[in-house]
Amino acid sequence: MHTEEQNNLAPGQVAVNRTEHCTMQLFENLQGEYYPVTDCQGKLNLIRSEYHPIGNRLQYPKKWGRKRAATLLLEHKIKVERDTIESAQAELAKLERCLSDVQGWDDDSKI
């Protein structure tokens, strides 16, 4: 996810390259439902060109807001889970084809 910094600087003006960041994490309650928790640091960190979720966590610029950060984190987690399902389905199909081939073998062979 790219940041949207403006490059409308007057001659001699220095770009702002630091901003406050927050970390959003997904936690699971006793009922198995996810809920996001945000923790904002009080210090300024360098602005990065891209922000990517890692596991159940996303560090993001505070100015994005919780909704944008939660949306990005949840969409990423959903994509990862869908990719996992697709990969598992492909592997399962290959294993079932192999099992079908094996079941067609002659039982008399002693190899």
Side-chain angles (χ1 to χ4, degrees):
M1 173 62 64
H2 292 281
T3 57
E4 293 134 10
E5 295 300 317
Q6 293 181 353
N7 292 327
N8 300 334
L9 299 176
Q13 186 177 0
V14 177
V16 176
N17 63 352
R18 299 173 72 80
T19 189
E20 186 175 355
H21 283 71
C22 298
T23 301
M24 178 168 288
Q25 281 186 259
L26 289 178
F27 291 94
E28 192 172 350
N29 64 20
L30 295 174
Q31 292 77 32
E33 299 170 337
Y34 284 113
Y35 62 96
V37 174
T38 302
D39 176 39
C40 294
Q41 299 86 25
K43 62 180 185 167
L44 302 179
N45 293 329
L46 288 174
I47 298 170
R48 300 190 307 257
S49 61
E50 295 184 353
Y51 291 85
H52 298 283
I54 298 173
N56 284 349
R57 181 181 297 209
L58 170 67
Q59 185 179 41
Y60 65 96
K62 184 177 182 177
K63 67 182 179 179
W64 278 13
R66 293 179 327 133
K67 181 178 180 179
R68 180 176 175 187
T71 300
L72 178 67
L73 179 57
L74 291 167
E75 286 175 347
H76 173 77
K77 289 284 295 173
I78 289 168
K79 182 185 181 313
V80 167
E81 294 302 322
R82 285 190 175 141
D83 290 347
T84 301
I85 290 169
E86 288 176 16
S87 175
Q89 287 174 334
E91 183 70 12
L92 182 60
K94 290 191 294 186
L95 289 168
E96 287 173 340
R97 279 192 305 273
C98 185
L99 178 60
S100 177
D101 291 344
V102 168
Q103 288 176 340
W105 289 357
D106 182 17
D107 282 341
D108 293 335
S109 62
K110 306 285 185 193
I111 297 179

